[in-house]
Amino acid sequence: MTSKLIMLASLPQGVPQAANFITGFEELPDVEPGEVLLKTLFISVDPYLRAKMAGEHQPPLNAGDVMYSRAVAEVVATKSPDLQPGDKVMAFLEWRDYLIHNSESLTLLPNNGFPLSNHLSILGSTGLSAYFALTDIGKPKAGETLVVSGAAGAVGSIAGQIGKLMGCKVIGIAGSDEKLQWLQADLGFDGVINYKTTPDIAAAIANLCPDGVDIYFDNVGGAISDAVIGKMNNYGRVVVCGSIASYNDTSAATGPRLLPLVVYKQLLIQGFLITDYKTRFAEGIAQLQQWLAAGKLQYAETIMNGFDKLPEAFIGLFNGDNQGKMIVKT
Ligand SMILES: NC(=O)c1ccc[n+]([C@@H]2O[C@H](COP(=O)([O-])OP(=O)(O)OC[C@H]3O[C@@H](n4cnc5c(N)ncnc54)[C@H](OP(=O)(O)O)[C@@H]3O)[C@@H](O)[C@H]2O)c1
């Protein structure tokens, strides 16, 4: 059987381009004992893949590597006693339409009534990142003010809603008026800022947060974060989840030196990595499922159709093409 695959042809300089990817074909060997033949169904595209291409997120992605990310797949044929044809599984999988995989490192997905794509979004690493990063590092208390950057994305849209569930006033920063409308009208954010059309973000934060900012959930870094951190209250907490604004930088950006502010305001700035929380995934999924079932949490998925759309979907993350989680249905 032939497997179609997508490889990184060259490392991007700046924003990734379609030419950085190449499609290939490979004959698959026979399925050996302990292995399964998988057909991928949904593949997640994520900003951290760009950081891997820059060697910042380990292990790095190099030219010539087959791309890989979290994916949901169906077992087509099996020589493993643990999996049956038709079973749905999740793992970090290469970007291939069909592939052979050993069964041990696959997570069998429950048939729990939630759409399969949810395992890559609200019930997957982005929903879990929002939950653990906000509750463990942000430690929100009722009445506090939370600002979320990248607010209409997969992590940000959930982090903001969890902040509302914890009684915070929530301000979201995102890149289009359509996204701002969704955040306010549907997700219940208290205030919103379009960073692309707001010349003075610090003034906009001051206007929307007259009592200052207690928690900043940072998905983007760069100038947006400089503006928000400048408005933090004493003992404020900065949850550093991601820095997408600098992932395509070709030279180190400079900005205001924030460390004196960190001293005088006694701020806590802590980085977060979801991989640290593997042992608590079941707890996080149970909480997210409970909120979903109670109608307290909403999510969006931007699903592009077709295996060949993987590079376009990935590049689209840097243009703001997604509302909620960007996923490719293969
Ligand atoms: N630490 C962890 O374990 C962990 C886990 C998951 C994700 N993350 C990080 O969290 C962040 C969000 O990830 P996600 O999966 O939820 O992605 P996402 O927010 O769903 O998608 C990326 C969004 O970033 C915004 N963006 C792109 N370029 C930007 C720029 N230069 N300045 C400001 N915003 C920009 C775009 O929205 P706009 O239209 O608003 O520009 C885009 O839709 C990323 O930085 C990611 O690396 C970290």
Side-chain angles (χ1 to χ4, degrees), residues 36-190:
V36 289
L37 173 66
L38 296 176
K39 179 187 189 316
T40 48
L41 301 175
F42 294 96
I43 299 181
S44 175
V45 292
D46 298 270
Y48 74 84
L49 295 170
R50 179 65 183 89
K52 279 184 173 294
M53 294 170 192
E56 286 166 1
H57 189 292
Q58 297 300 318
L61 270 167
N62 293 304
D65 289 348
V66 179
M67 292 291 298
Y68 66 93
S69 57
R70 280 193 183 80
V72 170
E74 178 173 341
V75 176
V76 176
T78 173
K79 282 198 178 165
S80 160
D82 303 328
L83 291 170
Q84 304 306 313
D87 281 348
K88 308 296 188 297
V89 295
M90 186 169 71
F92 281 98
L93 298 178
E94 289 189 335
W95 288 9
R96 293 173 181 266
D97 56 355
Y98 288 91
L99 67 157
I100 290 174
H101 208 279
N102 86 48
S103 65
E104 279 163 21
S105 51
L106 299 171
T107 301
L108 178 63
L109 294 174
N111 188 0
N112 57 7
F114 289 95
L116 282 174
S117 55
N118 282 189
H119 298 289
L120 302 176
S121 63
I122 177 69
L123 301 178
S125 70
T126 53
L128 290 167
S129 293
Y131 174 67
F132 287 121
L134 183 65
T135 54
D136 261 30
I137 300 175
K139 295 189 174 21
K141 295 187 222 38
E144 289 189 322
T145 297
L146 162 69
V147 174
V148 182
S149 60
V155 175
S157 59
I158 305 303
Q161 290 181 82
I162 296 173
K164 286 301 299 174
L165 287 169
M166 308 257 159
C168 294
K169 170 178 168 175
V170 179
I171 308 300
I173 306 174
S176 79
D177 289 344
E178 189 191 341
K179 290 182 180 182
L180 299 191
Q181 166 76 13
W182 177 59
L183 294 175
Q184 253 188 320
D186 296 344
L187 306 191
F189 280 49
D190 299 284

Side-chain angles (χ1 to χ4, degrees), residues 24-42:
F25 297 89
E26 209 172 75
E27 278 306 303
L28 291 177
D30 292 336
V31 179
E32 298 289 340
E35 293 181 339
V36 289
L37 173 66
L38 296 176
K39 179 187 189 316
T40 48
L41 301 175
F42 294 96

